Amino acid sequence: MVYTLFTSVAQSSLLSFSDSPNLNSSKSLVKRTHSVFLNGHTSFPPRLSRLGSTRPPPHICFFSGGGNPKRDFEDKENGGGLQILKRWDVPWEWQTVSLTSLACGLSFVLTGLVEAAVIPYLGLSVQDLSLDEKAEFLLVAQGVTTAAILGVLYTVASTFQPLPQDIYRYDWREPFSLQKGWLLWAGIGLVGAVAAVALTGAVTSLFSGESPEREKDALVSLLPLIGSSSISTACLLGITGVLAPILEETVFRGFFMVSMTKWVPTPVAVVISAAVFALAHLTPGEFPQLFVLGAAMGLSYAQTRNLLTPITIHALWNSGVILLLTFLQLQGYDIKELLQAT
């Protein structure tokens, strides 16, 4: 709106000057004023006094759409027309990245300790809870953890306001845009992730000789709740399909991967964030598959600059696993044995 107002003022001024005998001097003044703004000087040409006004003319933007010529040059030097190669304009330094990552880790640990300490004061015993009550408790605990860690991230980000528009961006508009459609690229990323994870699993099994024993990861610990009731299933979908994807993608892609692009090319940042994402799950036997999944989500995010893209991939992946295992459980299969076999 400001750009439109200033452009209208400039156009009306130039039209009025076109009928004036001082047309040549007026055009010269506009050119000199343009040069002043481009060079960043705050003083104005002495000839302004000849117009009989001591007030400087309004700031006129000569760049279409309010673009930044420096940023445009950086974009050309930074991947050209390939969106996936462009870096983010990160406003913080490595100290902020280190301290924020540490604060997120501490928040995760502390919220777990606080939740465990609060349970006895509420008169509850985890062993005495029904499966539905355990599922509800896990949902609340995940919600508290998500709120605490996201609170850390956005508190830090608030000190760097205004942030660039593509940092912590959740944009529901144009889901099927060919270049930046978050839903379109989430579908592409999900299909690519499924194929890549399947191929990685096959290659790993081929070279490992024997299937390693599955670690006691989060999925294995949730097995008693899978298929036990509709309430438990809904809570599990809320945990794995909503809260966990929002939290993990905001941390690993929205903050960590974006921050890495300040020092390394975007594809390298995708690889680093995928490795950290896989390591954070503390399941070494599943590192290759988690790494490939993290890389697929990172590449999709780099294409759209919209966190809804990796969140959607993550949510569909987790929800699909829960729903598939629930279906198999209801059909009478031993899902624990299936998981060990795969």
Side-chain angles (χ1 to χ4, degrees):
M1 182 178 293
V2 175
Y3 166 76
T4 304
L5 177 60
F6 285 159
T7 305
S8 300
V9 172
Q11 290 174 347
S12 61
S13 300
L14 291 175
L15 287 175
S16 63
F17 285 159
S18 64
D19 297 329
S20 171
N22 296 325
L23 175 61
N24 294 332
S25 61
S26 299
K27 289 183 178 180
S28 175
L29 171 61
V30 171
K31 290 181 179 179
R32 294 182 63 183
T33 305
H34 184 190
S35 177
V36 169
F37 285 124
L38 288 179
N39 294 329
H41 298 305
T42 56
S43 59
F44 292 88
R47 289 190 61 183
L48 285 175
S49 59
R50 299 182 184 179
L51 296 178
S53 172
T54 58
R55 184 173 59 184
H59 188 132
I60 301 173
C61 180
F62 288 85
F63 297 102
S64 176
N68 187 334
K70 179 180 178 182
R71 182 61 183 272
D72 293 341
F73 175 77
E74 290 176 351
D75 286 345
K76 293 180 181 179
E77 294 294 314
N78 193 14
L82 296 177
Q83 182 73 13
I84 204 168
L85 297 180
K86 295 179 181 178
R87 302 187 185 187
W88 276 259
D89 184 15
V90 181
W92 44 73
E93 299 296 334
W94 68 269
Q95 296 92 336
T96 301
V97 177
S98 301
L99 293 176
T100 303
S101 300
L102 178 61
C104 289
L106 290 177
S107 298
F108 179 81
V109 174
L110 290 177
T111 52
L113 294 176
V114 170
E115 290 163 0
V118 167
I119 292 177
Y121 290 98
L122 297 177
L124 300 176
S125 174
V126 177
Q127 291 76 12
D128 297 333
L129 295 177
S130 66
L131 290 178
D132 287 348
E133 290 172 337
K134 289 180 179 179
E136 292 168 352
F137 175 78
L138 290 175
L139 178 63
V140 172
Q142 181 65 43
V144 172
T145 302
T146 300
I149 296 178
L150 292 184
V152 171
L153 291 178
Y154 287 103
T155 298
V156 173
S158 65
T159 62
F160 294 91
Q161 294 291 347
L163 290 174
Q165 292 184 353
D166 58 354
I167 292 184
Y168 295 140
R169 175 170 167 259
Y170 308 86
D171 191 349
W172 295 90
R173 296 172 298 177
E174 300 182 357
F176 297 105
S177 169
L178 184 59
Q179 182 178 7
K180 294 185 178 182
W182 63 270
L183 192 55
L184 173 64
W185 283 97
I188 294 173
L190 181 62
V191 171
V194 171
V197 169
L199 179 61
T200 302
V203 172
T204 302
S205 300
L206 179 63
F207 287 97
S208 62
E210 58 181 6
S211 300
E213 183 179 357
R214 186 180 180 91
E215 291 83 357
K216 297 297 182 181
D217 60 8
L219 183 59
V220 173
S221 65
L222 294 175
L223 287 182
L225 302 177
I226 295 177
S228 62
S229 71
S230 58
I231 294 178
S232 295
T233 301
C235 290
L236 288 180
L237 290 176
I239 295 170
T240 63
V242 179
L243 295 177
I246 291 175
L247 172 61
E248 294 181 14
E249 295 312 307
T250 303
V251 171
F252 292 108
R253 251 62 65 179
F255 172 72
F256 187 74
M257 188 185 104
V258 167
S259 298
M260 288 297 99
T261 63
K262 189 178 183 72
W263 300 281
V264 299
T266 298
V268 178
V270 169
V271 171
I272 295 174
S273 64
V276 174
F277 169 77
L279 289 172
H281 284 76
L282 302 178
T283 53
E286 299 171 14
F287 178 88
Q289 290 88 343
L290 289 172
F291 173 80
V292 170
L293 176 61
M297 293 187 291
L299 290 172
S300 299
Y301 177 44
Q303 173 64 36
T304 63
R305 304 298 177 103
N306 188 347
L307 276 170
L308 290 181
T309 305
I311 288 174
T312 301
I313 297 174
H314 202 150
L316 292 175
W317 183 280
N318 286 358
S319 299
V321 171
I322 295 297
L323 292 175
L324 176 61
L325 293 178
T326 300
F327 173 77
L328 294 176
Q329 175 77 7
L330 296 177
Q331 296 301 314
Y333 289 93
D334 186 344
I335 56 177
K336 185 174 183 179
E337 182 178 347
L338 289 175
L339 288 175
Q340 179 62 43
T342 57

